[in-house]
Amino acid sequence: MNEIESLELKIAKFLRGGVFAAGAVMLVGWIWKTKWSGNPFFSFELYDRIPFMTMIQHHIYYKDWGTLVSYAGLLILISLPLIRVLLTAILFVKQKEYSLAAIALLVLSGLTASILLGIEL
């Protein structure tokens, strides 16, 4: 196995571990939420459009740690594709494939912009 294949395998293992970690963190948050609220679907009874930071501040103020832990797991899961594209760009630079690295960085900027534009701060 050459160096590039070794790096690809490390990236794949990192992503697999990241998915498991995100799932575990979300599961802990869901269990925590169920333990304290009794009804895990209570928060879905009413829908109200709330800016993301306001919602986070609300959960911090009311010490709703289960929901915050679940959000942390979701944040880990959302960040994995961004990390993957970044690591791919680094891999292309190591291979001296600069045009592919530039494309990967363009994809990374598009992903980042789409995430930031989708969050109402």
Side-chain angles (χ1 to χ4, degrees):
M1 180 180 319
N2 64 21
E3 180 186 0
I4 300 302
E5 288 174 346
S6 175
L7 288 172
E8 243 339 288
L9 184 60
K10 287 178 185 177
I11 291 171
K13 287 181 179 180
F14 171 77
L15 293 173
R16 185 179 311 131
V19 169
F20 285 130
V25 170
M26 284 190 288
L27 180 63
V28 166
W30 293 338
I31 290 171
W32 196 345
K33 177 95 173 142
T34 304
K35 180 181 175 185
W36 294 111
S37 71
N39 180 2
F41 301 110
F42 177 73
S43 60
F44 298 115
E45 288 180 6
L46 296 173
Y47 177 77
D48 203 9
R49 259 184 101 160
I50 302 170
F52 182 70
M53 291 309 294
T54 304
M55 182 176 57
I56 295 296
Q57 290 169 351
H58 169 81
H59 291 302
I60 290 171
Y61 179 78
Y62 286 105
K63 296 179 177 38
D64 187 3
W65 305 120
T67 301
L68 291 170
V69 169
S70 296
Y71 286 159
L74 191 58
L75 182 66
I76 293 169
L77 192 63
I78 289 171
S79 69
L80 287 174
L82 298 172
I83 294 169
R84 169 64 169 145
V85 174
L86 177 64
L87 292 175
T88 301
I90 293 169
L91 194 63
F92 284 142
V93 169
K94 283 186 172 268
Q95 292 176 335
K96 295 184 171 86
E97 295 283 349
Y98 299 114
S99 60
L100 293 175
I103 292 170
L105 291 174
L106 183 66
V107 169
L108 179 63
S109 63
L111 285 170
T112 304
S114 68
I115 289 171
L116 292 177
L117 291 173
I119 297 175
E120 185 179 332
L121 299 173

